[in-house]
């Protein structure tokens, strides 16, 4: 704890033997993220310097690491209680690569970008050696822009935009100054930064900034709510949603382009709800869980689950109760 009341901790792998450094880094992240070491990497020297600050309900970290692959899998999510929205501000590196389940494809993340991830959804990140800032915030702080905060998962702020550049500079200044700031001032600056990020991501998604954007946001929320309320219906499809809500197909396409399309979003949500049920209701047969979220057969559910999460429903359920 710093003298100003801000919680502070530091991790520096240089204090350890080379063969212990990556393992220690894995332990630092093990409660939330899994590290996927390359062949032989576990025995090599690994640089990690992490300064973490706890400012009220917020946690912000200033970190440098060597190149590493990290992921948050559906199995990890099922075993822990870590929730919230994470923002990663990349200060270095030119070609990081990220994969989120919503897109099911890899995309580049460059220096000066800001990546948003929902800790309730799978993510994989191939990160080059770099310095980066991470910030985890409660989901409800984003509800002003994203009524369903999960919609922010996998979105990226373009580093060439002035708003993104301002966010990066403010985040960098905050982590460099907060240990010397009064608690109240640091908390206010961090809150302002979060609101700035929420507005920037809302503008990136076309959900804020004008009357038209407000109408798009309302439409976006209506569709997501309708899908959630009718997830168990086998006939739920993009066409059935369009017919039920009377919305233009072209608008729906644009709203859910980030998700890979409305059909992909429906499939993703079915699988995500099923993953929770596999752990929450261990005595319910797996085929019944598949039927409960709209899959037509047990085989279809198992194939879709394995394809999305690289693990079978039965295996994930068994693994969850081993830990």
């Amino acid at each position: 704890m710093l003298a100003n009341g801000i919680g502070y901790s530091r991790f520096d792998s240089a204090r350890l033997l080379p063969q212990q450094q990556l393992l220690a880094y894995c332990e630092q992240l093990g409660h939330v993220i899994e590290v996927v070491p390359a062949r032989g990497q576990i025995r090599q020297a690994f640089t990690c310097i992490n300064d973490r600050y706890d400012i009220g309900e917020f946690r912000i970290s200033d970190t440098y690491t060597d190149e590493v692959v990290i992921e948050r899998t559906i199995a990890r999510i099922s075993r822990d209680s870590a929730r919230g929205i994470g923002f990663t501000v990349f200060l270095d590196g030119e070609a990081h690569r990220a994969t989120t389940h919503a897109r099911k494809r890899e995309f580049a993340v460059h220096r000066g970008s800001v990546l948003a991830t929902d800790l309730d959804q799978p993510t994989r990140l191939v990160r080059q050696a770099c310095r980066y800032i991470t910030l985890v915030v409660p989901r409800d702080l984003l509800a002003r822009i994203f009524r369903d905060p999960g919609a922010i998962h996998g979105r990226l702020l373009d580093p060439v935009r002035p708003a993104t550049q301002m966010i990066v500079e403010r985040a960098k200044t905050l982590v460099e100054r907060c240990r010397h700031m009064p608690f109240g001032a640091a908390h206010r600056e961090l809150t302002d930064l979060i609101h700035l990020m929420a507005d920037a991501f809302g503008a990136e998604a076309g959900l804020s900034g004008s009357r038209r954007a407000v109408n798009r946001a309302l439409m976006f929320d209506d569709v997501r709510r309708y899908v959630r309320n009718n997830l168990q219906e086998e006939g739920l499809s993009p066409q059935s949603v369009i017919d039920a809500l009377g919305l233009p197909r072209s608008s729906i396409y644009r709203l859910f382009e980030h998700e890979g399309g409305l059909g992909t979003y429906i499939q993703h949500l079915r699988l995500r709800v099923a993953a929770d049920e596999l752990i929450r209701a261990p005595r319910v047969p797996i085929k019944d869980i598949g039927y409960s979220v709209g899959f037509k057969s047990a085989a279809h559910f198992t194939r879709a689950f394995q394809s999305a999460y690289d693990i079978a429903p039965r295996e994930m359920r068994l693994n969850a109760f081993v830990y």
Side-chain angles (χ1 to χ4, degrees):
M1 181 74 70
L2 299 173
N4 57 4
I6 293 174
Y8 172 70
S9 62
R10 181 179 177 87
F11 172 78
D12 186 347
S13 64
R15 301 171 182 173
L16 304 169
L17 295 173
Q19 63 269 28
Q20 298 174 332
Q21 290 170 350
L22 183 57
L23 288 173
Y25 174 68
C26 294
E27 290 179 5
Q28 284 283 310
L29 296 182
H31 63 293
V32 177
I33 295 290
E34 296 175 5
V35 178
V36 186
R39 183 183 297 273
Q41 188 181 18
I42 202 77
R43 296 185 297 274
Q44 298 173 0
F46 182 82
T47 300
C48 173
I49 303 171
N50 171 261
D51 291 299
R52 168 178 160 173
Y53 303 92
D54 293 301
I55 307 174
E57 66 273 33
F58 307 126
R59 183 174 78 244
I60 187 168
S61 295
D62 182 7
T63 309
Y64 176 88
T65 71
D66 287 337
E67 182 173 349
V68 69
V69 179
I70 60 172
E71 62 182 1
R72 183 161 170 80
T73 64
I74 194 66
R76 163 63 61 186
I77 293 167
S78 73
R79 295 197 301 266
D80 68 30
S81 59
R83 296 296 182 266
I85 302 297
F87 296 100
T88 304
V89 179
F90 292 86
L91 302 180
D92 300 317
E94 291 300 333
H96 311 286
R97 301 190 304 279
T99 306
T100 59
H101 172 71
R103 294 187 176 190
K104 199 59 180 175
R105 69 177 178 82
E106 196 174 79
F107 57 97
V109 182
H110 302 292
R111 176 179 59 189
S113 299
V114 182
L115 175 66
T117 53
D118 178 6
L119 294 184
D120 199 37
Q121 300 186 57
T123 309
R124 179 182 174 90
L125 181 62
V126 181
R127 195 174 57 225
Q128 294 180 320
C130 70
R131 180 187 173 196
Y132 58 95
I133 295 168
T134 52
L135 171 62
V136 179
V137 305
R139 296 166 64 92
D140 58 7
L141 286 182
L142 302 175
R144 178 173 57 88
I145 304 295
F146 294 90
R147 294 189 185 183
D148 178 2
I152 202 172
H153 185 59
R155 294 187 182 272
L156 193 67
L157 295 183
D158 189 336
V160 304
R161 293 187 175 182
T164 308
Q165 295 169 6
M166 180 168 60
I167 287 168
V168 171
E169 285 304 312
R170 285 196 181 184
K172 185 177 177 182
T173 299
L174 181 59
V175 294
E176 291 172 351
R177 292 178 51 235
C178 69
R179 70 177 64 191
H180 307 296
M181 298 171 65
F183 179 92
H187 191 273
R188 282 192 300 274
E189 286 201 19
L190 189 47
T191 302
D192 289 345
L193 176 63
I194 292 165
H195 289 162
L196 185 61
M197 285 180 168
D199 288 338
F201 276 102
E204 182 275 335
L207 302 179
S208 63
S210 68
R211 178 174 295 182
R212 185 166 177 260
V214 171
N215 290 335
R216 283 168 54 88
L218 292 172
M219 186 187 303
F220 190 52
D221 292 339
D222 286 345
V223 173
R224 292 174 77 92
R225 187 181 307 110
Y226 181 87
V227 170
R228 286 185 177 276
N229 291 340
N230 293 275
L231 205 59
Q232 75 284 356
E233 298 295 332
E234 186 179 304
L236 182 67
S237 67
Q239 189 60 52
S240 72
V241 174
I242 290 169
D243 292 343
L245 298 179
L247 299 173
R249 182 186 299 274
S250 58
S251 296
I252 295 298
Y253 175 81
R254 286 192 296 272
L255 283 172
F256 286 87
E257 187 175 7
H258 168 75
E259 311 279 359
L262 180 54
T264 299
Y265 170 69
I266 292 171
Q267 177 90 328
H268 160 64
L269 189 57
R270 280 176 162 155
L271 293 170
R272 186 65 195 85
V273 171
D276 282 344
E277 288 300 301
L278 286 168
I279 308 306
R280 190 188 68 81
R283 297 182 184 276
V284 175
I286 289 174
K287 62 181 178 62
D288 290 346
I289 289 176
Y291 294 143
S292 74
V293 292
F295 283 94
K296 299 178 180 179
S297 69
H300 182 204
F301 170 55
T302 298
R303 284 196 303 270
F305 196 96
Q306 176 106 37
S307 175
Y309 297 135
D310 296 323
I311 189 172
R314 187 178 303 278
E315 184 182 355
M316 198 199 82
R317 176 180 268 179
L318 289 173
N319 287 350
F321 292 101
V322 168
Y323 288 81

